[in-house]
Amino acid sequence: MKEYLLFILMAIALSSLATMTSCKHTPEIINVSSDPMDSIPNSGTPCDPAVVYYFRDIQPILTSNCAVSGCHNSTSKREGIDYSSFETTIATGKVKPNNPNRSKMYKVLFDSGDDKMPPSPRPPLTSVQKAIIKKWINQGAKAYFCDAQVGCDSLNVSYANTIAPLLSNSCVGCHSGNNPSGGVSLSNYQSVANSANSGKLYGTVAHLSGYSPMPPSGNGLTICAKAQIKNWVEQGAPNN
Ligand code: HEC
């Protein structure tokens, strides 16, 4: 908790500094070991659609595909690699800032056979996810942050444009294939709609009592993402 407060204070200090020295196109950077998966709540820094934000965009992909038990989480650390936080990703994750083609973290996504990551039966990353990782490395592999609440559109939500990409980044790594975690698949519309209609989709992401909190590690989805899921479920989980 103390760390979190310090972190918020740092965020506020950094963001006022940034407004003072105002260089519009340089996103702000923060260097901390454990962060809300969200960008920084209440920092007021709008998210630039052209920028990849580590905590919002990269960590969820790593958490659901790589930093899992037996693989690259902070206890298993297979091959010494730990993708559970920004700091460990930079220190151990084989990232060469600005150089995706020399970054093993990126190259293994295209390998085949035994070297393929994530290994079977886990699904490969989607081409969109690979492109996000590439762009992050090309941006210098920084921990840029923004406030996902600024400009959050939680009303205008659709399955195809909002829900599916969100689940793809944060959930599908564990919830797909022949033996999905908890017996719950979230990789196609019908099974997502079933979870939505049973109350489990929103119950798990909003950490309501009686549901396992999801994702199981980290600080959870952004406030914006939770509101988007809530509204989509309340609209009857349409296939739109
Ligand atoms: C690192 C792997 C992992 C990730 C990422 C993950 N889950 Fe899970 N999930 C599990 C496991 C393991 C279970 C079964 C054990 C449990 O219920 O705690 C589970 C169970 C569930 C259940 C059934 C819970 C119940 O009460 O029956 C739902 C629904 C669910 N997850 C949704 C999600 C959603 C939505 C996301 C993304 C926001 C997500 N999960 C991300 C591993 C994961």
Side-chain angles (χ1 to χ4, degrees):
M1 198 60 210
K2 229 165 99 193
E3 264 174 29
Y4 187 71
L5 279 176
L6 193 70
F7 171 66
I8 297 274
L9 283 176
M10 264 167 67
I12 292 167
L14 270 177
S15 62
S16 40
L17 194 73
T19 12
M20 270 159 26
T21 53
S22 188
C23 171
K24 252 193 169 162
H25 296 286
T26 311
E28 293 159 51
I29 302 177
I30 196 147
N31 237 327
V32 279
S33 53
S34 64
D35 279 273
M37 187 141 331
D38 205 357
S39 21
I40 311 232
N42 310 320
S43 71
T45 308
C47 301
D48 180 339
V51 172
V52 173
Y53 294 94
Y54 182 81
F55 301 108
R56 188 191 62 171
D57 304 320
I58 302 293
Q59 190 62 59
I61 298 176
L62 299 179
T63 299
S64 59
N65 293 284
C66 322
V68 296
S69 171
C71 305
H72 304 294
N73 68 358
S74 56
T75 40
S76 305
K77 288 189 198 157
R78 281 279 278 274
E79 316 260 328
I81 298 173
D82 177 357
Y83 288 123
S84 60
S85 72
F86 175 72
E87 269 188 358
T88 58
T89 296
I90 295 299
T92 69
K94 315 234 182 252
V95 183
K96 289 251 182 287
N98 304 308
N99 201 336
N101 294 326
R102 285 189 55 226
S103 296
K104 242 188 146 192
M105 177 205 196
Y106 179 68
K107 284 177 50 183
V108 291
L109 304 176
F110 299 88
D111 275 344
S112 53
D114 287 352
D115 294 337
K116 182 168 79 108
M117 287 292 145
S120 305
R122 290 195 155 260
L125 298 198
T126 65
S127 50
V128 173
Q129 291 169 332
K130 290 175 186 165
I132 292 173
I133 290 177
K134 182 178 191 185
K135 191 168 170 184
W136 173 69
I137 296 173
N138 275 329
Q139 275 176 199
K142 297 285 196 331
Y144 292 141
F145 73 91
C146 66
D147 184 342
Q149 274 306 96
V150 180
C152 166
D153 184 354
S154 59
L155 297 177
N156 184 19
V157 289
S158 73
Y159 178 72
N161 295 324
T162 324
I163 305 299
L166 203 165
L167 300 182
S168 170
N169 282 354
S170 296
C171 322
V172 168
C174 297
H175 291 285
S176 62
N178 291 336
N179 189 15
S181 292
V184 174
S185 171
L186 295 172
S187 60
N188 63 74
Y189 168 74
Q190 197 48 58
S191 45
V192 175
N194 292 344
S195 283
N197 293 327
S198 71
K200 286 185 179 176
L201 184 65
Y202 185 66
T204 52
V205 300
H207 300 187
L208 302 185
S209 76
Y211 298 96
S212 310
M214 289 290 142
S217 62
N219 286 273
L221 298 184
T222 63
I223 300 166
C224 180
K226 285 181 222 169
Q228 289 171 326
I229 291 178
K230 184 165 195 265
N231 279 325
W232 180 73
V233 173
E234 282 173 357
Q235 284 163 29
N239 190 2
N240 53 358

